[in-house]
Amino acid sequence: MRNLKEENLTLLCDFYEFAMANGYFEAGMGEKIVYFDMFYRTVPDNASYSITAGLEQVIDYIENLHFSDEDIDFLRTKKIFHEDFLEYLRNFKFECDVWALREGTVIFPQEPIIIVKGPIMQAQMLETMILLTINHQSMVATKANRIVTAAKGRPVVEFGSRRAQGYTGANLGARASYIGGCAGTANTLAEKLYGVPALGTMAHSWVQLFGSEYEAFKTYAQVYPNNCLLLVDTYDTLKEGIPNAIRVWNEELVPKGIRPKGIRIDSGDIAYLSKKARVMLDEAGFSDAIIMASNSLDEWTIESILTQGAKLDSFGVGERLITSKSSPVFGGVYKLVAYEEDGEIVPTIKISENVAKITTPGFKSLYRIYDKSTMKAEADVVCLNSEKLEKMDELEIFHPIYTWKRKKFTNFVAKNLMVKVFEKGKLVYDMPTLEEIKDYAQKELASLWDEVKRLENPHEYIVDLSQDLWDIKDRLLKEHRK
């Protein structure tokens, strides 16, 4: 289920986009065909890769693009827009072509994530929403995957709703975390809206409200015998919490032939407590009871406590996931890369003293090169849209800056990762389900070598430009130097 179609977010747009569109309109340039790339420059947390998410919401936004009478009346109050331009907006019809990477695709810096071709007035207008949507969800999906990677196969549940940046951040963050590999979320609305499994048991307030911890556990076991996971750290985890849990299980569940789910530890030295708890549970005959940990976790704390021998089976991760606390900005940008003149595509470039901010010109495609014998991803090649790498028997790639660094492929498969989403304003993309997106992301991650997925000092994945594209970029740089 999607919900952006219920909202008119057309004015969620930087004001200068409308100012420029009005300017293009008055200058007679509004229908000029242009090409924009959305891409990102650096990977959060000094990692090697990211995961793209949010395309579904971009599609919802585009399909709902319209200007109501109230929108037009509001824009008129700004007193800078020509009436003919406002009338154009009143009768607005989206006419752009859009290509994108599928949600769940593993992505690297400087690669096109979304490409928009169309009239400048329309293509420019999409910038704000594309960026805020893809940046936010890709940031959370990437952080979630790092945490899931650190958990080494143990389920991770997203617990961050109460610390998210607003309710939209909580809902879409839960969706993105699921794409990144989380098993579920504490956010009930996220299941209703998107199908992310909502999970949860009790808070400390449940325990505090009863006359004793034992009574609190006993009542919970009576109400939820088949989902009895008890929070054991309200008072004293080892002296009271776990002994009370064991007592209640033996009294309420074992006689009924029901096995308990386990316990959750939310404070204290989790590595130490989990090891002690595991011994206590095993000795009591509950070796199948899981131990879940929460409390300000992220990939680094999870990796650390597991290295210390913690006996944990799952994790609940909140604020450090939903806000990507250690790296809370996903640096996606939206840049003009070409325009059409007399039916010809004219590449254009933005130059900066900061090399990372120099754009790659032209209408492009993105290919991933797989070793045919292992089907592991070996490199990505950004090339002109007219190039067809899948038809080549031999391919030599080179570093776009250190051009002497070269690699030749003969036994390879080249896959074009870009798919067409809109054609002249009409949706032509079959939207996958959230489960299909998550499965696709897992397959994408499985195609990477483990060295690329290391949390610390990961191997740098190769992203090169084709010779033809590199030549265009080099020519434009030299022309501007002159």
Side-chain angles (χ1 to χ4, degrees):
M1 178 179 177
R2 293 178 275 164
N3 66 335
L4 286 189
K5 287 185 177 180
E6 300 171 8
E7 299 181 78
N8 178 13
L9 299 177
T10 305
L11 291 187
L12 206 172
C13 181
D14 289 301
F15 184 71
Y16 76 174
E17 311 288 13
F18 292 125
M20 286 188 288
N22 181 74
Y24 292 134
F25 184 90
E26 293 205 45
M29 298 172 60
E31 297 302 316
K32 190 176 186 67
I33 300 301
V34 298
Y35 297 78
F36 277 90
D37 283 359
M38 187 260 158
F39 60 95
Y40 79 117
R41 293 187 175 123
T42 57
V43 185
D45 290 311
N46 297 313
S48 175
Y49 67 91
S50 301
I51 297 174
T52 182
L55 177 61
E56 181 175 314
Q57 283 65 48
V58 170
I59 291 171
D60 286 348
Y61 166 74
I62 290 175
E63 285 200 290
N64 197 38
L65 271 177
H66 70 280
F67 292 85
S68 67
D69 290 340
E70 290 80 6
D71 293 338
I72 301 299
D73 290 342
F74 168 75
L75 290 173
R76 186 177 287 113
T77 66
K78 302 301 291 182
K79 301 186 183 304
I80 69 167
F81 298 114
H82 195 283
E83 278 299 319
D84 289 344
F85 174 67
L86 293 178
E87 191 61 26
Y88 164 81
L89 295 183
R90 188 187 305 277
N91 300 305
F92 183 87
K93 181 181 179 183
F94 185 68
E95 299 171 324
C96 293
D97 294 338
V98 179
W99 295 262
L101 300 179
R102 293 177 175 87
E103 284 196 86
T105 299
V106 170
I107 52 174
F108 301 92
Q110 307 298 334
E111 298 182 338
I113 299 170
I114 292 179
I115 297 172
V116 177
K117 170 194 173 185
I120 179 62
M121 286 190 295
Q122 297 192 12
Q124 186 90 59
M125 199 180 297
L126 300 181
E127 177 176 8
T128 307
M129 195 62 177
I130 284 178
L131 289 178
L132 77 86
T133 303
I134 301 298
N135 279 339
H136 171 243
Q137 289 199 53
S138 297
M139 175 189 77
V140 177
T142 300
K143 187 64 170 181
N145 183 253
R146 285 175 60 79
I147 292 170
V148 169
T149 297
K152 299 186 184 303
R154 299 166 178 85
V156 175
V157 180
E158 181 272 306
F159 272 12
S161 301
R162 62 191 65 183
R163 302 270 167 72
Q165 280 93 346
Y167 58 85
T168 302
N171 294 333
L172 293 175
R175 178 185 186 274
S177 70
Y178 193 62
I179 292 172
C182 286
T185 177
N187 181 353
T188 310
L189 184 56
E191 178 164 356
K192 178 186 176 185
L193 293 176
Y194 308 116
V196 182
L199 307 167
T201 54
M202 63 167 64
H204 293 108
S205 57
W206 173 278
V207 178
Q208 292 173 275
L209 194 62
F210 288 81
S212 67
E213 186 177 58
Y214 164 74
E215 185 181 348
F217 287 176
K218 183 174 181 177
T219 303
Y220 196 88
Q222 291 170 344
V223 176
Y224 301 109
N226 295 305
N227 190 35
C228 191
L229 193 148
L230 302 174
L231 181 60
V232 296
D233 71 317
T234 303
Y235 303 118
D236 189 307
T237 302
L238 299 181
K239 292 181 179 179
E240 298 179 64
I242 297 174
N244 280 327
I246 291 170
R247 178 184 173 188
V248 165
W249 293 342
N250 280 321
E251 291 176 354
E252 297 295 330
L253 303 185
V254 173
K256 300 173 185 176
I258 299 174
R259 301 301 294 175
K261 289 289 185 180
I263 63 171
R264 176 162 71 94
I265 303 172
D266 189 53
S267 62
D269 187 331
I270 290 175
Y272 170 78
L273 292 174
S274 70
K275 287 185 279 189
K276 291 291 187 179
R278 184 74 274 160
V279 172
M280 296 170 70
L281 295 176
D282 290 353
E283 289 179 347
F286 297 111
S287 58
D288 56 339
I290 70 166
I291 303 175
M292 184 180 192
S294 51
N295 184 34
S296 299
L297 300 175
D298 60 14
E299 66 268 44
W300 301 113
T301 53
I302 288 174
E303 183 179 61
S304 175
I305 60 179
L306 291 179
T307 300
Q308 296 167 47
K311 301 298 183 181
L312 295 167
D313 302 288
S314 64
F315 299 94
V317 185
E319 62 186 50
R320 298 188 184 185
L321 190 167
I322 202 73
T323 64
S324 187
K325 184 178 179 180
S326 60
S327 191
V329 177
F330 195 85
V333 293
Y334 187 79
K335 298 296 180 183
L336 180 70
V337 293
Y339 58 87
E340 290 189 5
E341 197 72 64
D342 299 325
E344 296 291 324
I345 299 175
V346 180
T348 182
I349 192 170
K350 176 191 177 296
I351 297 176
S352 171
E353 291 297 320
N354 183 340
V355 174
K357 290 191 174 184
I358 298 175
T359 59
T360 300
F363 178 29
K364 298 181 283 293
S365 286
L366 174 64
Y367 279 85
R368 184 151 293 162
I369 309 303
Y370 299 88
D371 185 304
K372 192 177 287 186
S373 61
T374 64
M375 288 310 293
K376 289 290 187 180
E378 296 289 339
D380 285 4
V381 180
V382 184
C383 63
L384 295 172
N385 181 263
S386 57
E387 298 183 79
K388 306 299 178 186
L389 271 57
E390 67 270 22
K391 297 181 178 180
M392 300 175 66
D393 296 321
E394 184 175 288
L395 175 66
E396 184 177 64
I397 63 175
F398 60 92
H399 194 287
I401 298 176
Y402 311 113
T403 55
W404 64 89
K405 291 185 176 183
R406 294 176 176 261
K407 187 170 184 177
K408 185 176 289 187
F409 295 96
T410 53
N411 187 38
F412 70 96
V413 174
K415 179 182 177 183
N416 189 345
L417 299 181
M418 303 299 299
V419 296
K420 198 160 196 180
V421 181
F422 286 91
E423 184 167 357
K424 297 192 181 305
K426 180 182 178 182
L427 181 64
V428 294
Y429 179 61
D430 291 330
M431 182 68 66
T433 66
L434 186 60
E435 290 297 335
E436 289 171 335
I437 294 170
K438 183 177 183 178
D439 289 344
Y440 172 70
Q442 293 306 306
K443 291 174 182 175
E444 279 277 287
L445 291 160
S447 73
L448 297 181
W449 292 101
D450 289 342
E451 291 82 355
V452 177
K453 295 183 282 188
R454 280 196 302 253
L455 291 181
E456 196 164 3
N457 297 320
H459 175 76
E460 183 179 356
Y461 185 82
I462 298 171
V463 178
D464 289 347
L465 306 183
S466 70
Q467 183 70 59
D468 289 350
L469 183 56
W470 188 91
D471 288 342
I472 291 173
K473 187 172 185 177
D474 184 58
R475 172 176 60 81
L476 291 177
L477 286 169
K478 287 176 179 176
E479 287 177 357
H480 280 277
R481 279 202 299 268
K482 290 179 182 179

